[in-house]
């Protein structure tokens, strides 16, 4: 899920960053929905550059990597670089915009007046907090809307990444707002109750509340939240389903079904995920992946996703983000008092337990997360690297992994600088992934399955695209709040 920085308590950013990480795991930009070939027709074949299909004696992983990278045209590369680099600036503008909204609510006294109104309506503290929270979420959503609509709608269309009409997009925003109102209000009521009961140690108990909340959201999302935006159904095509289930069984993943969902309603990006845990665990892939990719590519992606499950990344990230959250609230405790002693009177804030201080809380927590961007990205990215390696070993499709990484480069800059990748990337870059795949391949060139695929690639190969005519993607419908 993605949420506007000012729309919910910035604590939710942490919640959603984690919720997004395992689920938005493997997105690849693509150019429109194509139909899966019907039973009887062969699925699209893999195209391997000659340099990447050499026998062991002449295979060089660096040369093979370069051969793959060079298959992306300069125009496409410039376009995806522009899209991705623009995203860096959007992170900065979004952060500053959020601070501006907080300043507006505090500086005009609007926040204090909203609290006064809530206190006049009810004498019960939780209800006062809830009323304020609803007003806050609605108001910040409206104030942030210009940035939201530019970033989420117009810009996505400009780069041909969106398939959705404005009506459908607005419907998704409305559904997201309702979900945000329910979850955000519940979280804020619980947090402020903790702050008032434990005036000195609230930052520790508050972190625990945040963590429990995060766990619940991850648990319910696959079953109760995601279907609000897309239709999920069991994948029926046995040619795709059976190899995935076989790979799942071989790696101890207790999946009986693979689900497909209609992401082409919203976007052209390829994606798959293993989400939820315990009883809500689901192996899911989207229709863009199904329609645009060959079986080796699909297996490469699903091997990666199974890796997240087998390596317990959800639990690992709960611990890691739990620590980040403790840091956030410790920083908040320190910074809030300083800001309040300086401006509190002017802004009408009585203390940390006063809900009128929420815009300040959100602003300070967003400063913390903005500064920590490279750290949170690196936490997620290192898990993604682990899942990449796992996927290569499980699927044994280094070339499928390389070509699918190239499709991802349609919207993620293919070759960033080292520092750039460390700061901004929550997944390894395309170059890093292809390099990893080619080094894996170099160690397995004499294995019968790898050698056979290379022989097939050297023979005159089928085109990547399936033969079926294009099915236009529906331009209406819903979009997930984004991976
Ligand atoms: Zn992943």
């Amino acid at each position: 899920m993605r949420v506007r920085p000012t729309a919910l308590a910035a604590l939710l950013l942490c919640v959603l960053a984690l919720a997004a990480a395992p689920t938005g795991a493997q997105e690849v930009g693509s150019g429109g929905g194509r139909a899966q070939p019907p039973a009887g027709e062969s699925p699209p074949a893999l195209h391997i550059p000659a340099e990447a299909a050499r026998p062991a004696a002449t295979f060089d992983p660096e040369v093979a990597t370069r051969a793959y990278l060079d298959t992306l045209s300069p125009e496409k590369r410039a376009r995806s670089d522009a899209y991705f680099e623009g995203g860096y600036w959007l992170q900065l503008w979004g952060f500053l915009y959020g601070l501006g909204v907080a300043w507006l609510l505090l500086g005009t006294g609007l926040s204090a007046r909203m609290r006064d109104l809530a206190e006049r309506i009810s004498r019960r503290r939780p209800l006062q907090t809830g009323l304020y929270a609803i007003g806050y979420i609605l108001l910040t959503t409206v104030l942030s809307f210009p940035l939201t609509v530019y970033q989420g709608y117009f810009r996505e269309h400009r780069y041909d990444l969106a398939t959705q009409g404005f009506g459908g997009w607005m419907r998704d925003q409305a559904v997201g707002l309702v979900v945000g109102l329910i979850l955000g209000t519940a979280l804020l009521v619980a947090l402020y109750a903790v702050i008032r009961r434990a005036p000195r140690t609230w930052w520790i108990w508050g972190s625990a509340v945040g963590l429990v909340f995060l766990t619940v959201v991850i648990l319910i999302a696959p079953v109760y939240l995601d279907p609000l935006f897309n239709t999920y159904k069991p994948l029926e095509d046995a040619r795709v389903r059976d190899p995935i289930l076989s790979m799942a069984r071989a790696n101890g993943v207790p999946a009986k079904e693979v689900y497909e969902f209609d992401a082409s309603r919203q976007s052209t990006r390829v994606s798959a995920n293993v989400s939820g845990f315990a009883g809500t665990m689901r192996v899911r892939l989207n229709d863009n992946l199904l329609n645009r990719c060959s079986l080796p590519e699909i297996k490469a992606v699903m091997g990666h996703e199974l890796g997240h499950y087998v390596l317990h990344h959800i639990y690992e990230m709960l611990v890691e983000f739990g620590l980040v959250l403790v840091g956030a609230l410790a920083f908040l405790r320190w910074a809030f008092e300083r800001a309040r002693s300086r401006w509190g009177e002017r802004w009408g804030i009585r203390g940390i337990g006063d809900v009128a201080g929420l815009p300040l809380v959100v602003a300070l927590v967003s400063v913390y997360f903005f500064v920590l961007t490279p750290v949170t990205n690196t936490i997620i990215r290192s898990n993604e690297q682990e899942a990449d390696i796992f996927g290569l070993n499980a699927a044994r499709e280094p070339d499928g992994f390389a070509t699918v990484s190239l499709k991802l480069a349609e919207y993620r800059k293919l070759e960033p600088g080292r520092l750039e990748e460390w700061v901004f990337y929550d997944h390894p870059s395309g170059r890093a992934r292809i390099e990893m795949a080619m080094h894996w391949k170099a160690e397995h060139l004499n294995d019968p399955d790898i050698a056979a695929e290379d022989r097939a690639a050297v023979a005159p190969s089928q085109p990547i695209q399936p033969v079926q005519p294009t099915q236009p993607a529906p331009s209406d419908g819903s979009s997930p709040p984004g991976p």
Side-chain angles (χ1 to χ4, degrees):
M1 288 177 77
R2 180 179 64 209
V3 144
R4 293 160 296 280
T6 50
L8 293 183
L11 288 174
L12 267 177
L13 287 179
C14 183
V15 170
L16 299 168
L18 181 47
T23 54
Q26 264 274 8
E27 322 100 41
V28 184
S30 96
R34 280 175 188 273
Q36 182 73 1
E41 276 184 46
S42 51
L46 196 63
H47 181 72
I48 305 178
E51 291 84 348
R54 289 181 180 278
T58 54
F59 183 87
D60 179 337
E62 299 303 329
V63 173
T65 301
R66 182 42 56 193
Y68 268 118
L69 293 173
D70 288 347
T71 59
L72 195 71
S73 73
E75 296 75 34
K76 281 189 171 174
R77 188 184 285 244
R79 195 174 165 81
S80 88
D81 285 3
Y83 176 75
F84 202 70
E85 287 164 9
Y88 305 159
W89 289 103
L90 274 174
Q91 287 179 41
L92 178 64
W93 302 140
F95 168 65
L96 295 175
Y97 199 103
L99 292 187
V101 167
W103 181 83
L104 190 73
L105 293 181
L106 295 168
T108 59
L110 193 55
S111 183
R113 287 207 296 279
M114 283 162 59
R115 174 211 48 214
D116 294 344
L117 180 64
E119 285 178 351
R120 279 201 296 276
I121 294 174
S122 171
R123 298 183 58 184
R124 297 164 61 105
R125 301 297 294 271
L127 202 60
Q128 290 170 1
T129 307
L131 286 169
Y132 177 94
I134 290 169
Y136 173 84
I137 292 169
L138 288 174
L139 196 58
T140 50
T141 301
V142 171
L143 289 172
S144 312
F145 190 73
L147 191 60
T148 308
V149 73
Y150 166 71
Q151 186 169 1
Y153 184 78
F154 291 110
R155 187 167 183 266
E156 290 296 298
H157 274 281
R158 180 144 53 88
Y159 284 95
D160 293 328
L161 293 169
T163 56
Q164 201 169 26
F166 192 71
W169 183 83
M170 277 300 289
R171 178 257 171 211
D172 279 0
Q173 295 299 307
V175 173
L177 176 59
V178 172
V179 171
L181 276 170
I182 294 167
L183 294 179
T185 304
L187 176 64
L188 288 171
V189 168
L191 280 179
Y192 273 94
V194 165
I195 292 173
R196 287 172 195 137
R197 288 232 172 105
R200 298 168 73 87
T201 52
W202 59 265
W203 58 285
I204 298 172
W205 300 110
S207 304
V209 167
L211 205 55
V212 168
F213 188 81
L214 180 59
T215 310
V216 171
V217 169
I218 293 174
L219 190 66
I220 66 170
V223 180
Y224 296 104
L225 301 182
D226 298 343
L228 298 173
F229 302 96
N230 289 94
T231 305
Y232 291 80
K233 60 176 189 202
L235 175 62
E236 311 240 309
D237 189 340
R239 292 168 306 168
V240 179
R241 181 195 60 208
D242 292 351
I244 296 173
L245 283 177
S246 168
M247 194 160 56
R249 283 191 302 272
N251 290 284
V253 179
K256 300 239 166 4
E257 295 271 19
V258 177
Y259 293 86
E260 66 168 295
F261 61 102
D262 55 350
S264 62
R265 292 168 75 181
Q266 292 105 0
S267 105
T268 60
R269 298 174 192 221
V270 171
S271 129
N273 61 67
V274 173
S275 57
F277 56 91
T280 65
M281 197 277 284
R282 298 280 188 280
V283 178
R284 312 188 294 192
L285 48 94
N286 81 8
D287 54 352
N288 293 325
L289 177 72
L290 276 174
N291 297 336
R292 264 202 88 213
C293 294
S294 62
L295 187 57
E297 292 172 304
I298 295 174
K299 280 178 67 184
V301 170
M302 296 318 287
H304 167 103
E305 301 304 339
L306 294 176
H308 282 308
Y309 181 86
V310 174
L311 300 170
H312 301 302
H313 281 166
I314 284 190
Y315 304 104
E316 191 183 303
M317 298 246 273
L318 277 172
V319 173
E320 288 167 342
F321 276 86
L323 292 174
V324 171
L325 196 55
V326 172
L329 296 199
F331 167 75
L332 175 63
R333 190 176 81 128
W334 173 82
F336 187 93
E337 254 332 291
R338 295 189 160 233
R340 193 194 64 85
S341 61
R342 187 142 175 204
W343 298 292
E345 208 162 321
R346 195 188 313 167
W347 291 343
I349 303 174
R350 298 165 193 151
I352 184 73
D354 176 8
V355 76
L358 181 61
L360 179 59
V361 167
V362 172
L364 291 173
V365 174
S366 78
V367 168
Y368 173 86
F369 277 103
F370 184 75
V371 172
L372 249 64
T373 301
V375 175
T376 50
N377 277 344
T378 298
I379 288 176
I380 299 170
R381 196 179 58 249
S382 23
N383 275 357
E384 294 300 332
Q385 276 162 340
E386 285 179 18
D388 283 353
I389 288 274
F390 182 96
L392 282 167
N393 284 317
R396 303 181 59 84
E397 296 288 358
D399 294 289
F401 191 63
T403 52
V404 99
S405 300
L406 280 173
K407 284 175 183 161
L408 182 144
E410 287 167 16
Y411 75 95
R412 184 180 288 146
K413 189 175 177 182
L414 187 61
E415 292 191 73
R418 294 262 172 241
L419 182 65
E420 186 181 8
E421 185 160 354
W422 186 77
V423 172
F424 291 112
Y425 279 60
D426 61 4
H427 284 65
S429 67
R431 183 202 47 217
R433 287 182 143 166
I434 295 171
E435 236 168 27
M436 180 189 276
M438 290 304 105
H439 279 279
W440 186 95
K441 185 173 177 174
E443 304 299 332
H444 294 84
L445 280 170
N446 294 322
D447 296 1
D449 54 337
I450 305 297
E453 195 160 79
D454 280 351
R455 275 196 302 277
V458 172
S461 65
Q462 292 171 268
I464 291 187
Q465 258 76 28
V467 227
Q468 274 298 99
T470 303
Q471 269 186 1
S475 61
D476 207 326
S478 60
S479 127

